[in-house]
Amino acid sequence: MADKISNAAAQMPQLCHMCEENTDIKFKCLDCAFLLCSRCRKLHEKVRTKYVHQIIDLRDKRAISKDSKSIRIHQVRCEFHEDENYIMCCQECQQLVCATCILTMHQKHEMGDMKIIISTKVSKLKQYQEIIDTTILPNISRNYARCDDLMEFHTKRTDIAKTGIHDWKTYLINAVTKLLDQQAELFYEQIDKNMDEIKQNILPERSELDDMKRNINKIRSEIERAINSHDLSQMINLESSIELLLKKVYAQKKKERTNYFEFSQRELKILKLGDLTLKPVFELQCTQSFDTRLSCIDKMASYKHEELLVRNLELKNLCLLKIAHDQIIEIHKWNIDVKDITALQTGEIIVILVDKTDLRLLTKKQHLTSTIISDCTEVFFDTAPQIPTALHTTRENNVIISTVETGRDWLPMDEPCKVEIIVITAEREVISRFIFDKDLFCFPNKITSIGTDICIADSISDYSGRLVTLDNKGKVKWTYGDNETNSVIIADMVSTPLYNVVLLDPCQSVLQALDSKGAFLNTWRLLDFNVTNPYAMTISTDDKILIGCGHTGNNLHVLEFRE
C-alpha cells in the first residue's frame, strides 16, 4: 500500500497545503482536508477552528479514501504576504488568511475551511444573483420605463400647453382686433353724426351772417355816397333801410352751445391670456383584464409579486391567485369564510373570521401545502370584547385593525358606536390604541394609511359614507364625503406611494382620487375601462391597482396609474 501511495505521489507531486513548498507530505487533517508536511503539522494543530483537528498519518486508509474525494480550489496569493497563498478563512474577521497571517494577525481566531466558506459564499451570491435577476432588475426596468413614460407624458403636456397658449394668443389677437375695429367704427359713426349736427347748427347761421355782412357793406357804401351828395331824400330813405337792418341784427338769437367728442386711451388691465395652474399628474389606464373563473370577488389583498389573495363571496372561500403572463393560476384555496384579509411582508396571511373577536393567522407552512385548509387555528391578535371589522398592513409592515362593539351588526348604521383603532407590529406588539366612545364612527369597514396617518372608511348608512383621516395621535385631520356635495359610498380604497388615496364607489361605478390633505384630484368612470359591477380593490407590490368584480367572465382588471 505504501508503494502505491509512493507511486501516486511520484506521478502527481503534492505540495503541503500550509507552506505550499514542501513535497514531503506525511500527514492529513481529516476535518480541513489539508495535506501537511512534518513542519506544518504542529502549526496546523494550533489553528483555531470550531472543531478539533484530526491529523492522521497518510498511511492510514481513511486518509487515502477521503483524499480521493478532496477538491482543491484555485490558489490566490495573500495580499499581505506575497510569497504565500490563502489556505483558510478567519471566521471572526471574515477574510482569507495564509499561514503567516494565522501566526501574526489572527492568533487564537477560529478558522474555517476555505472550501466550505467559499461554497457557502457562492451559494449566498447565487441567491443574491437570483434576487437581482427576478426582483431588482425587473423593478429597475419597470421604474425606468415609468420614467420614460413620464418624460414622454410631460413632453407632450408641455407641447400641448405651449400650442394652447399660441392658439389662444392668435385667437385673442384676432378677436381683439375685430372687437377694436367694431369699437372704432362705432366711434367714427358717433363723431361723424355729431359733426353733421354741428354743421346743421352752424352753417345756416354762418350763411345768414354772410348775407347780413353783404347788406351792411352795401348800406355803408350808400351812406358814404349820401354824405358826399348832400341829397336829403336819399339820406331819409337810407336811414329807414339802416334802421330796418339794425332791427334784424338785434333780433338775431344766439344758437345753443355745441358739443364735441374727445377720445381718451384706456390701459389693458382686464384683458389676459388666461391662467397657468399646476395640476398633479394622476392618470389611469386599464392594461389587462382576466377571467379568474371565480363567480364573485368581493375581498382582495396583495400578496407577493404578481400574487394576490381574493375572497369568493358566493362559495365563501379564500384563494391565492398568481398572474402569469396573460392568465390567472390558482395556487391554493382555503375553505374558510373571512370578513377581511391582509398579508405581512414576511408572507403570513391574517384573516378576520365571521363572529370571532380574534385575528387568525395562516402561516407559510399552511398555505404552501397543496391540500385545502379548512380552518386556521393560530391566533394572531385578540380584540375582545370588541369585534374586528377591517385590516390593513402598512408599508412599514405594521397592522392596523378597526373594531366595533359587540352586537353592532344588529344596530342601525346611522347611530354612532364604540370603535377602537389598534396599530400593532408584525411581532404583535401594540403601538397605539385609539378609543372612540360613540363620538365619531358608525361602522368602519375599510382601512388604509398615508405615511403615519390612518384613513378609515366609515359607513354612515347603507347608501352613504365618508372617509375619516386620523393622525398618529388619533386626532381627526380631515374628512371627505360627509356632506351632500361630496357624499360617497366606499366599498374599498388604496393609498399610492405618492400619498394619494383612491376610493372605489360601487354605486356610481367610479374611482375618486384625493391628495394627502383630502382635496379632490380626479374621477374615473370604470365603464370607460370596461369594468362593471366592481366590488373590491387592492394595490399590488409593483404599485398597480387591481379591481375585482361581482360576476363571472373578465372580473379582475389591472389599472396602471401615472402620478
Side-chain angles (χ1 to χ4, degrees), residues 531-545:
V531 177
T532 57
N533 201 17
Y535 266 27
M537 178 171 62
T538 189
I539 188 164
S540 64
T541 55
D542 55 352
D543 297 324
K544 297 177 183 177
I545 292 180

Side-chain angles (χ1 to χ4, degrees), residues 84-103:
E84 299 190 49
N85 293 332
Y86 291 128
I87 58 172
M88 302 196 81
C89 179
C90 177
Q91 299 279 42
E92 295 184 26
C93 303
Q94 284 295 299
Q95 66 182 55
L96 298 176
V97 293
C98 67
T100 305
C101 290
I102 295 173
L103 294 175

